[in-house]
Amino acid sequence: MELLRLGPIGHERPYVHDDGTVFDLTTLTSDIDGAFLAADGIARVRQALRRGELDAAEVDGLRIGAPIARPTAVICIGQNYAAHAAESGAEPPEHPVVFFKHPNTIVGPDDVVLLPPGAEKVDWEVELAIVIGATARYLSSPDAAREVIAGYTISNDVSERAYQLEVSGGQWSKGKCSETFNPLGPALVPADEVDPKALRLRSFVNGEPRQDSSTADMIFPVLQIVHELSQYLVLEPGDVINTGTPQGVALSGRFPYLQHGDVMEIEIEGLGRQRQRTERVHLA
């Protein structure tokens, strides 16, 4: 089962893809958001599917939007793959490195990614994203995190490395928060249908391979991430957690940074594939 939001920007509608058919969810909810997830939305969708209560939908040609609407936070884990930490010139962290992206960075999985005026070090980062389904504070153990994860999707944590590292003032968010810098989707797959411990992640630029790794190489696995975050902040339904990226990014020095017209493609086993074209922003 995959939850989808399809339609023009700002006018997406909720759908579910199940067993080869796409069904309209507007009889259950106006959108796939934190309130829907907190109200046992995934269980209600499954029940409606079993009962045959949903209408099949014709969705050919519709834009794919981000699978979660209006998250209140996008929380990111840095240097969570040992090989990526090494290519960045850093030792593997002893504790999760946490930074934030502005929620309005989120766009659909195939939307255009805008290169800021003057930016010359824009990079790609394929990441497994967690979507929170219930309020989480001070979780007692990593195992308790299972109860608050709604599902998983794909994130491209697009980054401008000069902003992130050279003019950062000691933190990373300047390089992470430009508009369109977080393509998300295509679908939200329920947590009980995904084993996040060994998923293959890959990225390509202009058809050439860049990243190829597995979530098995994470330094801090999914349940530990959610548990540890809950000790420092309250996670809310609909929040997105980007769990880090493997080696193979431009920051390594092995590949050029993105230019106008480049095409990024990223995929995670069982979760689908994204494709974005880059466009340079030109100010009048």
Side-chain angles (χ1 to χ4, degrees):
M1 185 175 87
E2 299 175 330
L3 298 175
L4 303 163
R5 298 176 64 249
L6 307 177
I9 295 173
H11 299 280
E12 297 90 346
R13 292 163 55 93
Y15 297 87
V16 60
H17 177 240
D18 185 66
D19 197 25
T21 302
V22 176
F23 298 92
D24 193 323
L25 286 181
T26 52
T27 56
L28 288 182
T29 183
S30 61
D31 213 339
I32 299 170
D33 55 13
F36 164 78
L37 296 175
D40 292 326
I42 290 176
R44 290 190 291 117
V45 170
R46 285 178 169 153
Q47 185 178 62
L49 286 169
R50 286 195 301 269
R51 294 177 175 176
E53 296 172 346
L54 301 176
D55 294 328
E58 177 55 59
V59 297
D60 286 350
L62 289 181
R63 167 188 168 271
I64 303 173
I68 184 73
R70 300 175 297 279
T72 55
V74 180
I75 307 154
C76 306
I77 307 300
Q79 298 181 342
N80 196 27
Y81 290 74
H84 175 56
E87 75 176 358
S88 304
E91 292 294 323
E94 295 183 9
H95 304 281
V97 175
V98 179
F99 62 92
F100 292 84
K101 294 178 83 96
H102 196 296
N104 67 16
T105 58
I106 288 181
V107 293
D110 302 326
D111 289 345
V112 168
V113 166
L114 299 174
L115 306 180
E120 297 298 337
K121 294 184 178 181
V122 180
D123 210 344
W124 58 87
E125 295 190 67
V126 57
E127 305 199 9
L128 176 67
I130 305 165
V131 178
I132 296 297
T135 301
R137 55 166 61 83
Y138 309 119
L139 294 174
S140 60
S141 67
D143 196 59
R146 298 183 194 276
E147 303 303 316
V148 304
I149 297 174
Y152 300 94
T153 189
I154 305 173
S155 174
N156 187 358
D157 176 20
V158 181
S159 307
E160 211 293 342
R161 301 302 192 182
Y163 298 174
Q164 177 186 350
L165 301 172
E166 298 170 22
V167 295
S168 66
Q171 51 75 41
W172 290 357
S173 291
K174 284 182 183 177
K176 301 287 187 172
C177 289
S178 296
E179 58 183 331
T180 74
F181 266 27
N182 203 148
L184 198 70
L188 173 62
V189 180
D192 59 3
E193 299 183 19
V194 179
D195 180 358
K197 296 189 295 296
L199 300 174
R200 188 181 186 186
L201 311 88
R202 296 198 295 171
S203 67
F204 306 82
V205 176
N206 299 328
E208 298 180 356
R210 292 294 187 259
Q211 297 169 279
D212 189 349
S213 187
S214 167
T215 56
D217 292 329
M218 281 185 178
I219 298 169
F220 307 105
V222 162
L223 298 182
Q224 183 179 351
I225 288 170
V226 175
H227 169 249
E228 292 209 21
L229 286 174
S230 78
Q231 309 308 305
Y232 303 103
L233 55 91
V234 177
L235 298 169
E236 298 286 0
D239 284 354
V240 174
I241 303 171
N242 291 341
T243 60
T245 199
Q247 76 278 11
V249 296
L251 181 62
S252 68
R254 294 187 288 130
F255 308 109
Y257 287 104
L258 294 167
Q259 301 295 322
H260 173 82
D262 284 346
V263 174
M264 293 178 282
E265 295 172 279
I266 69 172
E267 63 184 21
I268 298 180
E269 176 186 3
L271 298 181
R273 187 178 178 93
Q274 302 183 354
R275 183 183 189 275
Q276 304 100 31
R277 179 175 50 82
T278 62
E279 287 187 6
R280 174 73 63 184
V281 174
H282 295 286
L283 299 180

Tab-separated table of all heavy atoms in Angstrom, residues 220-256:
chain	number	residue	atom	x	y	z
A	220	PHE	N	23.802	5.273	12.896
A	220	PHE	CA	22.676	5.294	13.830
A	220	PHE	C	21.435	4.819	13.080
A	220	PHE	O	20.954	5.510	12.178
A	220	PHE	CB	22.452	6.701	14.393
A	220	PHE	CG	23.690	7.308	14.993
A	220	PHE	CD1	24.395	8.294	14.328
A	220	PHE	CD2	24.164	6.863	16.216
A	220	PHE	CE1	25.544	8.842	14.863
A	220	PHE	CE2	25.324	7.401	16.775
A	220	PHE	CZ	26.016	8.390	16.095
A	221	PRO	N	20.889	3.640	13.400
A	221	PRO	CA	19.729	3.124	12.676
A	221	PRO	C	18.461	3.888	13.015
A	221	PRO	O	18.408	4.700	13.947
A	221	PRO	CB	19.655	1.664	13.121
A	221	PRO	CG	20.335	1.633	14.453
A	221	PRO	CD	21.398	2.690	14.402
A	222	VAL	N	17.421	3.603	12.255
A	222	VAL	CA	16.167	4.362	12.315
A	222	VAL	C	15.611	4.453	13.736
A	222	VAL	O	15.282	5.547	14.217
A	222	VAL	CB	15.139	3.725	11.359
A	222	VAL	CG1	13.726	4.170	11.703
A	222	VAL	CG2	15.469	4.074	9.915
A	223	LEU	N	15.457	3.331	14.413
A	223	LEU	CA	14.824	3.355	15.729
A	223	LEU	C	15.658	4.136	16.742
A	223	LEU	O	15.107	4.855	17.584
A	223	LEU	CB	14.571	1.936	16.227
A	223	LEU	CG	13.618	1.090	15.385
A	223	LEU	CD1	13.412	-0.284	16.017
A	223	LEU	CD2	12.279	1.790	15.185
A	224	GLN	N	16.974	4.039	16.647
A	224	GLN	CA	17.829	4.809	17.549
A	224	GLN	C	17.703	6.302	17.276
A	224	GLN	O	17.668	7.111	18.213
A	224	GLN	CB	19.283	4.376	17.410
A	224	GLN	CG	20.219	5.091	18.386
A	224	GLN	CD	21.661	4.645	18.253
A	224	GLN	OE1	21.967	3.684	17.545
A	224	GLN	NE2	22.563	5.337	18.934
A	225	ILE	N	17.614	6.676	16.002
A	225	ILE	CA	17.458	8.086	15.656
A	225	ILE	C	16.207	8.665	16.298
A	225	ILE	O	16.239	9.720	16.948
A	225	ILE	CB	17.406	8.260	14.132
A	225	ILE	CG1	18.782	8.017	13.513
A	225	ILE	CG2	16.900	9.658	13.756
A	225	ILE	CD1	18.761	7.929	12.001
A	226	VAL	N	15.076	7.991	16.119
A	226	VAL	CA	13.812	8.507	16.647
A	226	VAL	C	13.851	8.548	18.164
A	226	VAL	O	13.407	9.524	18.795
A	226	VAL	CB	12.633	7.673	16.131
A	226	VAL	CG1	11.319	8.129	16.774
A	226	VAL	CG2	12.530	7.765	14.605
A	227	HIS	N	14.375	7.507	18.783
A	227	HIS	CA	14.486	7.481	20.244
A	227	HIS	C	15.328	8.651	20.745
A	227	HIS	O	14.916	9.376	21.672
A	227	HIS	CB	15.097	6.154	20.695
A	227	HIS	CG	15.487	6.134	22.139
A	227	HIS	ND1	16.802	6.106	22.554
A	227	HIS	CD2	14.729	6.163	23.269
A	227	HIS	CE1	16.834	6.110	23.878
A	227	HIS	NE2	15.602	6.147	24.338
A	228	GLU	N	16.515	8.845	20.148
A	228	GLU	CA	17.390	9.902	20.632
A	228	GLU	C	16.804	11.285	20.399
A	228	GLU	O	16.885	12.164	21.263
A	228	GLU	CB	18.774	9.778	19.991
A	228	GLU	CG	19.521	8.543	20.446
A	228	GLU	CD	21.026	8.723	20.438
A	228	GLU	OE1	21.506	9.867	20.469
A	228	GLU	OE2	21.725	7.690	20.406
A	229	LEU	N	16.201	11.502	19.236
A	229	LEU	CA	15.586	12.807	18.998
A	229	LEU	C	14.520	13.122	20.040
A	229	LEU	O	14.382	14.273	20.468
A	229	LEU	CB	14.980	12.854	17.596
A	229	LEU	CG	15.952	12.968	16.427
A	229	LEU	CD1	15.203	12.866	15.101
A	229	LEU	CD2	16.748	14.263	16.481
A	230	SER	N	13.762	12.113	20.444
A	230	SER	CA	12.667	12.340	21.392
A	230	SER	C	13.161	12.769	22.768
A	230	SER	O	12.369	13.254	23.583
A	230	SER	CB	11.804	11.088	21.524
A	230	SER	OG	12.410	10.110	22.366
A	231	GLN	N	14.444	12.585	23.036
A	231	GLN	CA	14.995	13.037	24.314
A	231	GLN	C	15.274	14.536	24.311
A	231	GLN	O	15.419	15.142	25.384
A	231	GLN	CB	16.297	12.286	24.624
A	231	GLN	CG	16.216	10.778	24.515
A	231	GLN	CD	15.081	10.176	25.312
A	231	GLN	OE1	14.962	10.408	26.520
A	231	GLN	NE2	14.235	9.401	24.642
A	232	TYR	N	15.340	15.130	23.119
A	232	TYR	CA	15.733	16.540	23.006
A	232	TYR	C	14.647	17.445	22.444
A	232	TYR	O	14.710	18.662	22.611
A	232	TYR	CB	16.980	16.653	22.122
A	232	TYR	CG	18.131	15.837	22.624
A	232	TYR	CD1	18.471	14.632	22.024
A	232	TYR	CD2	18.869	16.248	23.729
A	232	TYR	CE1	19.533	13.861	22.500
A	232	TYR	CE2	19.928	15.492	24.214
A	232	TYR	CZ	20.245	14.297	23.588
A	232	TYR	OH	21.289	13.535	24.073
A	233	LEU	N	13.657	16.843	21.760
A	233	LEU	CA	12.570	17.636	21.209
A	233	LEU	C	11.339	16.750	21.088
A	233	LEU	O	11.438	15.520	21.116
A	233	LEU	CB	12.954	18.225	19.837
A	233	LEU	CG	13.427	17.254	18.750
A	233	LEU	CD1	12.268	16.775	17.898
A	233	LEU	CD2	14.478	17.925	17.872
A	234	VAL	N	10.186	17.383	20.995
A	234	VAL	CA	8.934	16.641	20.836
A	234	VAL	C	8.652	16.475	19.352
A	234	VAL	O	8.543	17.463	18.615
A	234	VAL	CB	7.764	17.366	21.530
A	234	VAL	CG1	6.460	16.608	21.299
A	234	VAL	CG2	8.034	17.500	23.026
A	235	LEU	N	8.559	15.237	18.914
A	235	LEU	CA	8.216	14.932	17.526
A	235	LEU	C	6.702	14.931	17.384
A	235	LEU	O	5.988	14.375	18.213
A	235	LEU	CB	8.780	13.567	17.131
A	235	LEU	CG	10.303	13.450	17.190
A	235	LEU	CD1	10.732	11.993	17.041
A	235	LEU	CD2	10.951	14.309	16.119
A	236	GLU	N	6.228	15.554	16.310
A	236	GLU	CA	4.793	15.678	16.089
A	236	GLU	C	4.371	14.877	14.856
A	236	GLU	O	5.169	14.660	13.932
A	236	GLU	CB	4.411	17.147	15.875
A	236	GLU	CG	4.709	18.054	17.057
A	236	GLU	CD	3.757	17.874	18.225
A	236	GLU	OE1	2.839	17.022	18.117
A	236	GLU	OE2	3.916	18.579	19.234
A	237	PRO	N	3.106	14.447	14.804
A	237	PRO	CA	2.624	13.732	13.616
A	237	PRO	C	2.835	14.559	12.348
A	237	PRO	O	2.540	15.758	12.318
A	237	PRO	CB	1.136	13.536	13.908
A	237	PRO	CG	1.037	13.539	15.399
A	237	PRO	CD	2.070	14.527	15.860
A	238	GLY	N	3.363	13.914	11.334
A	238	GLY	CA	3.661	14.589	10.072
A	238	GLY	C	5.071	15.095	9.955
A	238	GLY	O	5.508	15.460	8.852
A	239	ASP	N	5.826	15.140	11.070
A	239	ASP	CA	7.224	15.561	10.991
A	239	ASP	C	8.012	14.591	10.110
A	239	ASP	O	7.749	13.385	10.088
A	239	ASP	CB	7.860	15.598	12.381
A	239	ASP	CG	7.428	16.798	13.201
A	239	ASP	OD1	6.722	17.670	12.655
A	239	ASP	OD2	7.792	16.860	14.391
A	240	VAL	N	9.005	15.133	9.412
A	240	VAL	CA	9.864	14.345	8.526
A	240	VAL	C	11.269	14.316	9.107
A	240	VAL	O	11.786	15.348	9.556
A	240	VAL	CB	9.884	14.951	7.105
A	240	VAL	CG1	10.895	14.233	6.218
A	240	VAL	CG2	8.494	14.897	6.489
A	241	ILE	N	11.879	13.138	9.100
A	241	ILE	CA	13.263	12.985	9.548
A	241	ILE	C	14.073	12.423	8.396
A	241	ILE	O	13.833	11.297	7.944
A	241	ILE	CB	13.377	12.050	10.766
A	241	ILE	CG1	12.507	12.546	11.922
A	241	ILE	CG2	14.840	11.940	11.206
A	241	ILE	CD1	12.410	11.566	13.076
A	242	ASN	N	15.037	13.203	7.905
A	242	ASN	CA	15.992	12.723	6.904
A	242	ASN	C	17.142	12.030	7.632
A	242	ASN	O	17.771	12.633	8.504
A	242	ASN	CB	16.530	13.881	6.069
A	242	ASN	CG	15.480	14.484	5.161
A	242	ASN	OD1	14.469	13.875	4.866
A	242	ASN	ND2	15.730	15.707	4.710
A	243	THR	N	17.432	10.788	7.268
A	243	THR	CA	18.304	9.962	8.103
A	243	THR	C	19.770	9.935	7.670
A	243	THR	O	20.556	9.164	8.211
A	243	THR	CB	17.771	8.518	8.151
A	243	THR	OG1	17.729	7.977	6.822
A	243	THR	CG2	16.383	8.467	8.763
A	244	GLY	N	20.161	10.778	6.722
A	244	GLY	CA	21.554	10.828	6.312
A	244	GLY	C	21.777	10.194	4.953
A	244	GLY	O	20.942	9.439	4.455
A	245	THR	N	22.926	10.497	4.361
A	245	THR	CA	23.214	10.046	2.997
A	245	THR	C	24.521	9.271	2.950
A	245	THR	O	25.440	9.541	3.735
A	245	THR	CB	23.287	11.249	2.039
A	245	THR	OG1	23.119	10.801	0.689
A	245	THR	CG2	24.610	11.988	2.150
A	246	PRO	N	24.628	8.291	2.045
A	246	PRO	CA	25.888	7.553	1.888
A	246	PRO	C	26.892	8.301	1.019
A	246	PRO	O	26.622	9.386	0.507
A	246	PRO	CB	25.441	6.240	1.234
A	246	PRO	CG	24.209	6.600	0.475
A	246	PRO	CD	23.536	7.687	1.266
A	247	GLN	N	28.058	7.692	0.849
A	247	GLN	CA	29.124	8.289	0.050
A	247	GLN	C	28.703	8.386	-1.411
A	247	GLN	O	27.826	7.691	-1.876
A	247	GLN	CB	30.413	7.465	0.175
A	247	GLN	CG	30.428	6.165	-0.625
A	247	GLN	CD	29.733	5.014	0.076
A	247	GLN	OE1	29.053	5.204	1.081
A	247	GLN	NE2	29.909	3.814	-0.446
A	248	GLY	N	29.401	9.291	-2.134
A	248	GLY	CA	29.146	9.442	-3.555
A	248	GLY	C	28.589	10.792	-3.942
A	248	GLY	O	28.004	10.944	-5.010
A	249	VAL	N	28.789	11.797	-3.098
A	249	VAL	CA	28.280	13.133	-3.384
A	249	VAL	C	29.397	13.995	-3.975
A	249	VAL	O	30.576	13.635	-3.965
A	249	VAL	CB	27.704	13.797	-2.114
A	249	VAL	CG1	26.499	13.022	-1.622
A	249	VAL	CG2	28.763	13.897	-1.018
A	250	ALA	N	29.026	15.155	-4.485
A	250	ALA	CA	30.017	16.041	-5.098
A	250	ALA	C	31.023	16.569	-4.089
A	250	ALA	O	32.178	16.850	-4.443
A	250	ALA	CB	29.307	17.207	-5.793
A	251	LEU	N	30.611	16.689	-2.828
A	251	LEU	CA	31.518	17.173	-1.785
A	251	LEU	C	32.778	16.315	-1.684
A	251	LEU	O	33.821	16.793	-1.229
A	251	LEU	CB	30.786	17.189	-0.439
A	251	LEU	CG	31.558	17.685	0.777
A	251	LEU	CD1	31.970	19.142	0.602
A	251	LEU	CD2	30.739	17.509	2.057
A	252	SER	N	32.700	15.073	-2.136
A	252	SER	CA	33.858	14.177	-2.095
A	252	SER	C	35.001	14.664	-2.978
A	252	SER	O	36.141	14.234	-2.810
A	252	SER	CB	33.441	12.773	-2.539
A	252	SER	OG	33.113	12.771	-3.929
A	253	GLY	N	34.700	15.516	-3.962
A	253	GLY	CA	35.696	15.946	-4.934
A	253	GLY	C	35.803	15.029	-6.131
A	253	GLY	O	36.545	15.317	-7.078
A	254	ARG	N	35.046	13.933	-6.131
A	254	ARG	CA	35.110	12.970	-7.243
A	254	ARG	C	34.166	13.310	-8.379
A	254	ARG	O	34.286	12.763	-9.469
A	254	ARG	CB	34.798	11.563	-6.722
A	254	ARG	CG	35.843	11.033	-5.752
A	254	ARG	CD	35.589	9.579	-5.392
A	254	ARG	NE	34.444	9.429	-4.517
A	254	ARG	CZ	33.445	8.573	-4.720
A	254	ARG	NH1	33.433	7.827	-5.811
A	254	ARG	NH2	32.454	8.479	-3.847
A	255	PHE	N	33.203	14.209	-8.106
A	255	PHE	CA	32.192	14.541	-9.106
A	255	PHE	C	31.976	16.046	-9.129
A	255	PHE	O	32.139	16.720	-8.108
A	255	PHE	CB	30.861	13.847	-8.785
A	255	PHE	CG	30.981	12.369	-8.558
A	255	PHE	CD1	30.824	11.833	-7.283
A	255	PHE	CD2	31.238	11.511	-9.609
A	255	PHE	CE1	30.921	10.467	-7.067
A	255	PHE	CE2	31.337	10.142	-9.411
A	255	PHE	CZ	31.184	9.614	-8.132
A	256	PRO	N	31.548	16.588	-10.275
A	256	PRO	CA	31.241	18.019	-10.328
A	256	PRO	C	29.933	18.335	-9.611
A	256	PRO	O	29.041	17.479	-9.508
A	256	PRO	CB	31.127	18.295	-11.830
A	256	PRO	CG	30.737	16.984	-12.430
A	256	PRO	CD	31.415	15.934	-11.592
